[in-house]
């Protein structure tokens, strides 16, 4: 229970770790010998990013961006603005955008196009979770940990009104409450 809402376990820490490891294996194989810049999307991606980098064997730098989020609503608003931008020069870097979950795809589409316009050597997207059926804009996601159903999830960086990001496992909101 949190905030009078009923949550049920969806993915445990071992399942999450297996998904993170399998993404890291692919990235390690694909980016060997390249100048890699990981760009994490604040705030939700912090936990995934922290685990992902510890599975990476390739050399890389880390940056973060913060985009406008859902706020207190549980569905995407449709407009995206930048609250905190990347500090590093991304030209000639192989950029990998790191997101914890994709829903409509609007947030990532916006960031992807913006990074691409800045002239990196390449840009790809990795997400731990993908609500693929919810996609409303076409976003090229190369690495996906798990394709999931449309459910509201919390834990492992995912928040319910800024709470519960610290939970080591992922839970879904059970309707009705
Ligand atoms: P999109 O632009 O609709 O793809 O929204 C993606 C962003 O919404 C993610 O970066 C998350 O921060 C947030 N989000 C999407 N689904 C969930 C969820 O189930 N729980 C918590 N946050 C979510
Ligand atoms: Mg969020």
């Amino acid at each position: 229970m949190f905030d009078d809402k009923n949550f049920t376990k969806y993915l445990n820490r071992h399942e999450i770790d297996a998904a993170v490891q399998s993404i890291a294996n692919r990235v390690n194989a694909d980016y060997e010998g390249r100048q890699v810049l990981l760009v994490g999307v604040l705030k939700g991606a912090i936990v995934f990013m922290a685990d992902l980098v510890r599975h990476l064997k390739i050399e890389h730098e880390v940056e973060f961006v913060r985009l406008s989020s859902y706020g207190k609503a549980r569905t995407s608003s449709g407009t995206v603005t930048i609250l905190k931008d990347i500090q590093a020069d991304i030209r000639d870097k192989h950029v990998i955008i790191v997101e914890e979950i994709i829903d409509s795809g609007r947030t990532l589409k916006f960031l992807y196009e913006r990074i691409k316009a800045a002239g990196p050597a390449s840009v790809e997207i990795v997400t731990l979770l993908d609500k693929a059926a919810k996609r409303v804009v076409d976003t090229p996601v190369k690495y996906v940990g798990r394709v999931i159903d449309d459910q509201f999830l919390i834990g492992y960086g995912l928040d319910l009104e800024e709470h519960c990001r610290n939970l080591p496992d992922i839970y879904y909101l059970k309707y009705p409450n």
Side-chain angles (χ1 to χ4, degrees):
M1 287 290 286
F2 181 81
D3 194 24
D4 286 338
K5 294 174 188 73
N6 224 329
F7 286 91
T8 305
K9 200 173 281 188
Y10 187 64
L11 289 174
N12 68 43
R13 61 200 76 185
H14 307 293
E15 294 167 316
I16 297 168
D17 189 55
V20 176
Q21 180 72 68
S22 91
I23 291 173
N25 291 345
R26 291 180 58 200
V27 172
N28 283 328
D30 292 352
Y31 286 87
E32 214 191 323
R34 294 187 185 174
Q35 270 200 72
V36 174
L37 175 67
L38 302 179
V39 177
V41 185
L42 294 173
K43 303 173 195 174
I46 54 163
V47 181
F48 174 43
M49 177 71 113
D51 282 346
L52 180 66
V53 294
R54 284 178 287 180
H55 285 304
L56 291 183
K57 296 187 170 73
I58 50 161
E59 267 192 58
H60 63 274
E61 291 171 51
V62 171
E63 279 278 341
F64 288 94
V65 288
R66 186 157 176 222
L67 307 165
S68 58
S69 67
Y70 286 20
K72 295 213 163 183
R74 270 184 233 147
T75 51
S76 184
S77 62
T79 50
V80 183
T81 54
I82 297 170
L83 303 175
K84 182 216 169 293
D85 212 342
I86 301 166
Q87 261 73 53
D89 187 350
I90 66 172
R91 277 171 299 173
D92 305 324
K93 298 266 169 69
H94 290 274
V95 177
I96 306 174
I97 299 170
V98 179
E99 177 67 289
E100 83 289 4
I101 194 164
I102 306 180
D103 190 292
S104 70
R106 286 191 183 102
T107 312
L108 273 200
K109 176 80 171 176
F110 171 84
L111 183 62
Y112 177 85
E113 295 300 342
R114 199 164 178 280
I115 287 179
K116 215 172 160 192
S122 68
V123 53
E124 299 291 354
I125 296 170
V126 25
T127 188
L128 178 65
L129 304 170
D130 185 1
K131 294 184 189 172
K134 291 285 298 295
R135 201 63 41 77
V136 300
V137 294
D138 188 28
T139 316
V141 185
K142 183 150 185 197
Y143 306 95
V144 176
R146 287 242 187 171
V147 174
I148 57 166
D149 299 333
D150 176 24
Q151 284 164 121
F152 188 77
L153 304 177
I154 58 165
Y156 199 76
L158 293 158
D159 71 302
L160 174 65
E161 291 165 18
E162 297 301 329
H163 294 276
C164 305
R165 294 191 198 274
N166 59 316
L167 301 175
D169 306 295
I170 294 174
Y171 299 79
Y172 72 93
L173 185 55
K174 215 172 170 184
Y175 296 106
N177 297 323

